[in-house]
Amino acid sequence: MDARQILTEYYQYANAGDWDRWCDLFAEDQVMDEQLAGHIEGLDTLRSMMKGMGDMYRVFQNRPVHFIVDSDGEKAAAVSHLSAVSASGEAIEAEVMNFFRIADGKIAYMANYHDTVPFQVLSQG
């Protein structure tokens, strides 16, 4: 699977709440620097973390706006807009930038960047 297809499925599965298939896009030894959750290493750790997504959000939609893929298909970035509703009913709107490193058809590294203020509602209530 090429980088553009991986990114397409990344957002498709996230928006469908299909976190098992979303996790399948990552390598076993994946590393993620997630702005809210911190540094996450290993696919098993990621899978465990993602089991709580349904408890954190009533609605979670992360719509890609732009994909950028380098010429060798090993590095990619996505600009997206996230619209969500927390478990307590608070709206979240944020512009997001994700960076990906792809190896052997899997996401080996991912980092995300966004304004953290809209997500403060997750710690309230």
Side-chain angles (χ1 to χ4, degrees):
M1 185 174 346
D2 71 11
R4 189 167 299 275
Q5 182 63 33
I6 290 169
L7 268 59
T8 298
E9 291 185 8
Y10 174 98
Y11 291 94
Q12 176 186 339
Y13 297 151
N15 290 329
D18 190 344
W19 300 112
D20 287 333
R21 289 179 74 189
W22 183 87
C23 285
D24 289 343
L25 296 172
F26 289 82
E28 286 293 326
D29 60 349
Q30 72 83 36
V31 175
M32 180 184 293
D33 288 311
E34 207 287 325
Q35 200 160 358
L36 299 175
H39 187 76
I40 300 133
E41 292 189 22
L43 185 55
D44 289 341
T45 302
L46 181 62
R47 284 189 191 283
S48 177
M49 183 183 87
M50 297 312 292
K51 288 184 188 304
M53 281 294 284
D55 297 331
M56 288 181 64
Y57 298 99
R58 290 183 189 177
V59 174
F60 184 90
Q61 294 293 293
N62 192 357
R63 301 284 181 204
V65 177
H66 300 290
F67 289 155
I68 303 161
V69 178
D70 73 350
S71 61
D72 63 10
E74 293 179 2
K75 295 179 192 82
V79 176
S80 63
H81 180 82
L82 188 141
S83 295
V85 177
S86 71
S88 63
E90 298 291 328
I92 299 168
E93 298 289 333
E95 304 304 322
V96 180
M97 178 73 174
N98 287 340
F99 171 78
F100 301 86
R101 190 173 50 78
I102 311 296
D104 300 321
K106 297 282 188 176
I107 300 168
Y109 176 77
M110 190 208 121
N112 76 340
Y113 306 93
H114 54 76
D115 181 359
T116 58
V117 172
F119 295 90
Q120 290 177 356
V121 300
L122 296 175
S123 62
Q124 299 170 358

